[in-house]
Amino acid sequence: MKIHRFLPVRLLVFLSLAYMAILGGTTSCVSPQSIIYFQGDTASISKAKIQQSYVPVIESNDMLSIVVGSLNQEANAIFNSANEYATTSTSYGSGSSSGRQPFGYLVDRDGNIELPLVGKIKVEGLTTPIAADTIRGRLQMYLKEPSVNIKNINFKVSVLGEVNRPAVYVVPDEKITLPEILSLAGDLTIYGRRNNVMIIREEKGERQYARVDLTSRKIFESPFYYMHKNDVVYIEPIKAKMNTTDRAVQLAPLFVSMVTALALLIYRLRL
């Protein structure tokens, strides 16, 4: 004998309607126009001149990896020892060394680094290629045909909110755009608000809060298209997700009560 034959018809109707209400209350529609990037001219080919770029410079408290090369390997080791890796507790995203970061050379508050034998060298305000040329010139009295390669170890961007892989991402080549950093983060989730992305930027003692629209091609003209060092990108959820979460929490007790009542009814029918 099947249990469902003894269930009252009204109860079955009630449970069906309640299920439909919960399903409808926790499901929201997302407009296609709100998730399409770079909307604009639909021509197959269009061109736009690049308006701006970003050239990072060295600042105080930067950590620099300085690799020196020459014909004297023993002398090279004196300068390169500061770049040896050490295990740290810091967890970085893609492009890092999974918790292993080199010591590097710290740029002090006066904008100097200190190299063995050479002493202090002013690097603040210089790009890494110009700083490398400056250091190479100072090393010529100690090394034969020296070469210098510099990378800014702490050029990183933080991505938070409605993305698939929120994390702090280290940028080895010191140049990355907003779409590229979001690609590293696994793109926005379906609930990420694409037309109101917040970017927090700290430079020259000021903190800026900017809002950009990824659904418009005007993003390419924005000064926030290129990421700067220590930028924070926050993707807020769309209203649909917040409503879905609220409704799910509100309806949870009702759903639990229904399941409990149904379980008790089945238990009594089995007696």
Side-chain angles (χ1 to χ4, degrees), residues 39-130:
Q39 298 175 42
D41 187 4
T42 57
S44 59
I45 298 177
S46 60
K47 297 181 180 179
K49 189 174 182 179
I50 298 176
Q51 300 293 333
Q52 44 83 34
S53 185
Y54 171 57
V55 180
V57 296
I58 299 171
E59 300 175 357
S60 298
N61 298 319
D62 278 353
M63 190 69 73
L64 304 179
S65 169
I66 302 177
V67 179
V68 176
S70 71
L71 299 178
N72 189 332
Q73 296 299 322
E74 293 182 358
N76 297 341
I78 298 175
F79 300 98
N80 296 331
S81 60
N83 297 311
E84 294 179 356
Y85 282 82
T87 302
T88 70
S89 59
T90 305
S91 178
Y92 289 89
S94 300
S96 69
S97 301
S98 302
R100 299 180 68 228
Q101 291 293 303
F103 288 118
Y105 290 90
L106 177 66
V107 182
D108 63 25
R109 65 178 63 185
D110 296 321
N112 301 316
I113 58 170
E114 187 163 0
L115 291 177
L117 302 178
V118 178
K120 290 187 176 183
I121 301 177
K122 184 79 170 183
V123 294
E124 184 180 18
L126 304 179
T127 63
T128 50
I130 294 178

Side-chain angles (χ1 to χ4, degrees), residues 199-210:
I199 299 176
I200 304 172
R201 176 170 295 170
E202 295 185 7
E203 286 184 333
K204 299 178 181 178
E206 294 183 348
R207 182 179 293 114
Q208 302 179 61
Y209 300 88

